[in-house]
Amino acid sequence: MQVLTYNAAGSRRRMRAHMRQVAALPTPSLRGLRSRHWRIDQGWVRGRYLFEDQSSLDAFVRHPELDPAFQHIKDVTGNVPVDTKPNECILSAEVLERPIFIISAPRAGSTLLYELMANSGNLWTIDGESEGVIEGISSLHPANRGFVSHRLTDEDVNDETARAIRAGFIAEIRDRLGRRYLEFSGAEGLASVRMLEKTPENSLRVAFLDAVFPNALFVFLHRDARQSVSSILEAWHHEGFVNIPSLPNWRLGSWHFLLPEGWQELRNNSLLEIAAFQWAAANHRALEDLDALPRDRWTSVDYAELVAAPEQVVRRVCDFADIP
């Protein structure tokens, strides 16, 4: 699989709302294009395109405006994104050895645990959340699924999807110094790496991730309902937490955080009830999926304990994940 990267100049503050609009545009159906993901990354607005072969990549380079996301970035930044030298992406399933996924409802403290763990010299991350890696595959984008929910299961995985997901992560992962795996893919000792990831939407996708990464480990982080729901409610009043800018048939227009199954029944509910529904749905689905896995593949962490004794908790998680 071939990786094509575009870079465009644009400040994080100015581009943040535009990036959510770009994320709302499903990947177009173009020959050989397996996934696409635009994000703000290390001072650039960066787009990552995965193609099945070189000829498909070359055809796209001649007409990148066929992707509405590319055209949007070009219009907003006022400059033409410049492509970098394509990389061939190693697709061996062994590259991502026992990846570690932090699973939690929104506003449950996953960022704190993630940032503590990411300091390890033994862990690689994509330096952000993975909704773009997953939803950059056209068939997995919420818009192409009728905005039913962010829920994905093992039934949504086939060989092509699994290959694209793994390639998407491999194209993005970097060490704690910011060096990308693709820059060192031929170096001795980097045949495989341990990846750490956290994305609240993945609380609805444990079964899906298990199907893509049968050797994955999961850390279930839970927080007191009153604290978590209160934080979700507060964030519903902040545009920075918009997930879907324009949700069809939703009275408020935009939707914040993850989209659980059954959201359509909340049209007349208060924001407090919506926040509580999101918290309950995320935890229920996560535990339901985790309970189906062998018990040695997941562990749980209480947010209150993490705050009170962070070193003790991180050591316990590292022991579970076999990380020094």
Side-chain angles (χ1 to χ4, degrees):
M1 195 170 289
Q2 300 293 324
V3 183
L4 175 65
T5 304
Y6 281 95
N7 294 321
S11 69
R12 175 181 292 271
R13 183 175 182 178
R14 175 170 173 256
M15 292 300 298
R16 189 169 183 177
H18 290 290
M19 297 312 294
R20 181 46 58 193
Q21 294 176 20
V22 167
L25 298 170
T27 300
S29 297
L30 300 175
R31 178 170 64 90
L33 179 58
R34 295 293 173 253
S35 75
R36 174 261 282 145
H37 175 206
W38 281 90
R39 61 182 293 198
I40 300 173
D41 184 17
Q42 297 179 341
W44 291 93
V45 179
R46 183 165 286 147
R48 188 260 302 135
Y49 292 75
L50 293 181
F51 288 89
E52 191 63 40
D53 53 67
Q54 187 66 46
S55 63
S56 298
L57 184 152
D58 292 339
F60 177 79
V61 168
R62 291 191 290 270
H63 300 286
E65 66 281 356
L66 290 174
D67 178 19
F70 180 96
Q71 188 63 50
H72 185 91
I73 295 295
K74 179 181 175 181
D75 292 342
V76 170
T77 61
N79 60 84
V80 179
V82 179
D83 63 289
T84 63
K85 181 180 178 181
N87 296 106
E88 184 172 0
C89 190
I90 297 176
L91 289 174
S92 170
E94 287 72 34
V95 170
L96 298 173
E97 177 190 1
R98 291 186 298 157
I100 305 160
F101 293 94
I102 298 174
I103 302 297
S104 77
R107 312 298 289 171
S110 59
T111 298
L112 174 60
L113 180 58
Y114 169 84
E115 291 183 349
L116 287 171
M117 296 287 294
N119 284 306
S120 169
N122 300 91
L123 291 175
W124 295 59
T125 74
I126 67 170
D127 194 27
E129 297 184 350
S130 69
E131 65 266 39
V133 174
I134 295 174
E135 295 170 19
I137 297 173
S138 183
S139 63
L140 303 182
H141 193 283
N144 287 339
R145 301 169 65 85
F147 290 105
V148 173
S149 75
H150 279 126
R151 171 77 165 158
L152 295 172
T153 72
D154 56 331
E155 295 182 357
D156 298 299
V157 179
N158 55 35
D159 290 342
E160 182 178 297
T161 299
R163 288 176 67 247
I165 292 289
R166 289 193 290 264
F169 277 116
I170 293 169
E172 295 284 352
I173 56 172
R174 62 204 71 183
D175 64 13
R176 65 177 177 176
L177 299 179
R179 297 173 297 184
R180 294 175 178 274
Y181 176 80
L182 290 184
E183 299 173 10
F184 301 94
S185 58
E188 183 179 357
L190 284 179
S192 66
V193 297
R194 301 294 303 279
M195 181 183 75
L196 175 71
E197 196 281 336
K198 79 97 184 173
T199 301
E201 286 84 350
N202 286 343
S203 62
L204 305 176
R205 298 170 172 170
V206 172
F208 173 85
L209 294 172
D210 173 54
V212 177
F213 301 103
N215 61 352
L217 301 176
F218 299 92
V219 179
F220 175 61
L221 177 64
H222 53 92
R223 185 182 184 186
D224 175 78
R226 292 165 298 181
Q227 295 176 350
S228 191
V229 171
S230 175
S231 186
I232 294 172
L233 175 61
E234 180 181 357
W236 263 92
H237 296 281
H238 194 294
E239 290 300 312
F241 294 96
V242 170
N243 191 313
I244 302 173
S246 181
L247 181 62
N249 301 315
W250 177 241
R251 61 183 173 83
L252 299 178
S254 62
W255 182 273
H256 296 224
F257 297 118
L258 54 79
L259 188 69
E261 299 161 290
W263 66 268
Q264 298 90 340
E265 305 301 320
L266 303 174
R267 290 190 181 93
N268 299 318
N269 291 54
S270 67
L271 286 180
L272 175 59
E273 291 170 320
I274 294 168
F277 182 82
Q278 289 177 302
W279 175 87
N283 284 286
H284 171 76
R285 280 302 190 188
L287 286 172
E288 183 179 65
D289 286 351
L290 289 169
D291 281 343
L293 300 180
R295 194 59 184 86
D296 62 353
R297 289 187 52 204
W298 67 280
T299 190
S300 62
V301 170
D302 187 316
Y303 175 75
E305 182 186 2
L306 175 64
V307 173
E311 182 177 353
Q312 178 182 338
V313 171
V314 169
R315 285 184 180 276
R316 176 161 57 82
V317 174
C318 288
D319 287 344
F320 159 75
D322 195 25
I323 295 295

